[in-house]
Amino acid sequence: MGREWNCVGDGIYQRKGVSDFSLRQIYESGQAFRFKEVREDTFLVVHQQHWAIVSEQGDTITLQNTTLQECEDVWNRYFDLERDYHTLKQSFLGLDDYLDKAISFGEGLRILNQDIFEMIITFIISANNHIPRIKNSITKICEFAGTPIGEYDGEVIYAFPKAEQIQKLSQEQWDGIKLGYREKYIKKTVDMIVNQEIDIAQLPSLDTLEAQKELMKLSGVGEKVADCILLFSMAKYDAFPMDTWMKKVMQRYYPDESMGNIRRVRSLGVELFGSFAGIAQQYLFYYEREQSKRRK
DNA sequence: CTCCAGGTCAAAG
DNA sequence: CTTTGACATGGA
């Protein structure tokens, strides 16, 4: 190991042989709100205190503003580059016609390993909200409370703020973030985390249902938001977020089993797709949403 | 104008 | 334990 990344310039590293990977699909699949397309097919990606300019050329991905150590210690895990998605997708094929189509459509999707606290705040904001609005709110939270970690193309790059930094926001800043009724949820949740009422660092060591139960103690975190947090920051692939899109999918294709009961549909998903149901869910979510866009 | 968005919460049956 | 309505905001 350790020979995956090659230096091809000052702060520029490449990794070859990365198949089943599409930055655009990952970006548009509703899991990452801190990608910014700085030019055609090139993205500024921020993760914790790290940032990089990321692009892909066939099976090669290129990162700028990084180091070998950062590639190995941070970006490999963030982009889930060590996982064999080809084999994973093979294991899904033939289970279900609609999933087969969804996988072929979203062939470059991956589940990112993002920061736990960031996912908690992000998906509280996501509840009953539009994706562009979610992204705007998150951008403002970072600008108002986050630590500057760099600059690119004349613009300052901010880390996602820590809980303690969010506590210091003024009311005018809160108003500017436009969270609506979710503002009080975030305030409460941030207080609970600072006061150690729940220890989020310890969540990954719990099994999925226990971790979900813990997360749901937080204000604004219900079953679906908890599942998103588990899936996108803790690699808990047996979490199966049931949102409005998945309800449409499941009720259209499995009307008998679902009968409108969300919790029953969720367990059906896990029953159908097993311990990687959450990844299957992401293919279904992306496919359904893109199909809906194209109908317009 | 009304409807809806990667739902959650509190009240009530 | 399940069902119901309110909830901020802005774009379609």
Side-chain angles (χ1 to χ4, degrees), chain A residues 20-23 25-26 89 103 105-110 283:
Chain A
D20 314 287
F21 183 91
S22 162
L23 283 169
Q25 289 183 1
I26 293 167
K89 288 191 283 188
I103 288 176
F105 183 79
E107 46 86 26
L109 284 173
R110 282 182 181 238
Y283 291 112

Side-chain angles (χ1 to χ4, degrees), chain A residues 15-281:
Chain A
R15 179 168 173 158
K16 299 187 182 192
V18 180
S19 55
D20 314 287
F21 183 91
S22 162
L23 283 169
R24 178 168 301 287
Q25 289 183 1
I26 293 167
Y27 170 61
E28 289 178 351
S29 70
Q31 61 176 307
F33 297 91
R34 305 224 56 208
F35 276 43
K36 183 181 177 187
E37 191 163 16
V38 290
R39 56 178 182 276
E40 184 81 14
D41 295 321
T42 300
F43 297 86
L44 167 62
V45 178
V46 184
H47 173 58
Q48 297 176 334
Q49 72 273 37
H50 311 278
W51 66 273
I53 304 297
V54 188
S55 60
E56 53 191 316
Q57 306 79 27
D59 278 5
T60 300
I61 73 172
T62 304
L63 270 62
Q64 296 181 50
N65 182 59
T66 187
T67 62
L68 178 59
Q69 188 172 3
E70 194 178 55
C71 287
E72 292 177 345
D73 295 348
V74 177
W75 298 119
N76 272 345
R77 175 177 150 73
Y78 176 83
F79 287 114
D80 206 20
L81 294 180
E82 303 294 310
R83 189 176 309 280
D84 180 358
Y85 276 74
H86 178 71
T87 302
L88 184 61
K89 288 191 283 188
Q90 290 295 103
S91 74
F92 284 139
L93 291 180
L95 287 175
D96 176 90
D97 286 345
Y98 194 67
L99 180 59
D100 287 352
K101 285 182 200 160
I103 288 176
S104 138
F105 183 79
E107 46 86 26
L109 284 173
R110 282 182 181 238
I111 307 290
L112 300 175
N113 283 297
Q114 302 183 73
D115 181 77
I116 295 175
F117 177 69
E118 179 176 335
M119 289 302 97
I120 290 172
I121 302 304
T122 295
F123 281 95
I124 291 174
I125 296 172
S126 79
N128 200 28
N129 207 347
H130 288 92
I131 286 181
R133 261 173 57 82
I134 299 166
K135 199 172 176 182
N136 285 334
S137 292
I138 290 167
T139 302
K140 279 175 186 147
I141 287 183
C142 294
E143 283 176 11
F144 291 161
T147 303
I149 53 172
E151 193 182 320
Y152 182 77
D153 210 14
E155 285 195 39
V156 179
I157 301 164
Y158 295 92
F160 194 89
K162 301 289 172 199
E164 291 81 357
Q165 293 177 298
I166 293 180
Q167 283 183 318
K168 290 179 186 148
L169 286 167
S170 68
Q171 190 54 50
E172 295 97 292
Q173 289 175 315
W174 281 109
D175 294 343
I177 297 168
K178 307 281 185 195
L179 294 172
Y181 64 91
R182 304 167 197 84
E183 180 178 309
K184 57 181 178 292
Y185 298 156
I186 306 272
K187 285 176 172 171
K188 253 190 218 174
T189 284
V190 162
D191 287 344
M192 288 177 75
I193 289 171
V194 169
N195 298 337
Q196 295 276 358
E197 287 175 53
I198 97 162
D199 180 8
I200 63 174
Q202 176 239 335
L203 292 172
S205 66
L206 303 178
D207 70 48
T208 301
L209 283 177
E210 285 176 331
Q212 187 197 46
K213 202 173 149 196
E214 273 300 290
L215 282 166
M216 286 172 64
K217 292 178 182 171
L218 296 171
S219 180
V221 179
E223 285 182 78
K224 185 269 172 185
V225 167
D227 277 341
C228 285
I229 297 164
L230 293 164
L231 187 56
F232 299 133
S233 71
M234 291 176 234
K236 303 285 191 191
Y237 299 128
D238 50 338
F240 194 82
M242 283 302 306
D243 58 38
T244 50
W245 297 97
M246 283 307 296
K247 286 174 209 164
K248 284 181 199 170
V249 176
M250 298 303 264
Q251 285 175 6
R252 176 146 27 99
Y253 292 93
Y254 309 97
D256 299 336
E257 293 89 335
S258 60
M259 301 192 299
N261 185 317
I262 295 168
R263 204 167 294 164
R264 191 168 301 152
V265 179
R266 183 188 188 280
S267 56
L268 172 68
V270 178
E271 210 173 288
L272 279 172
F273 309 127
S275 56
F276 291 96
I279 302 183
Q281 188 272 0

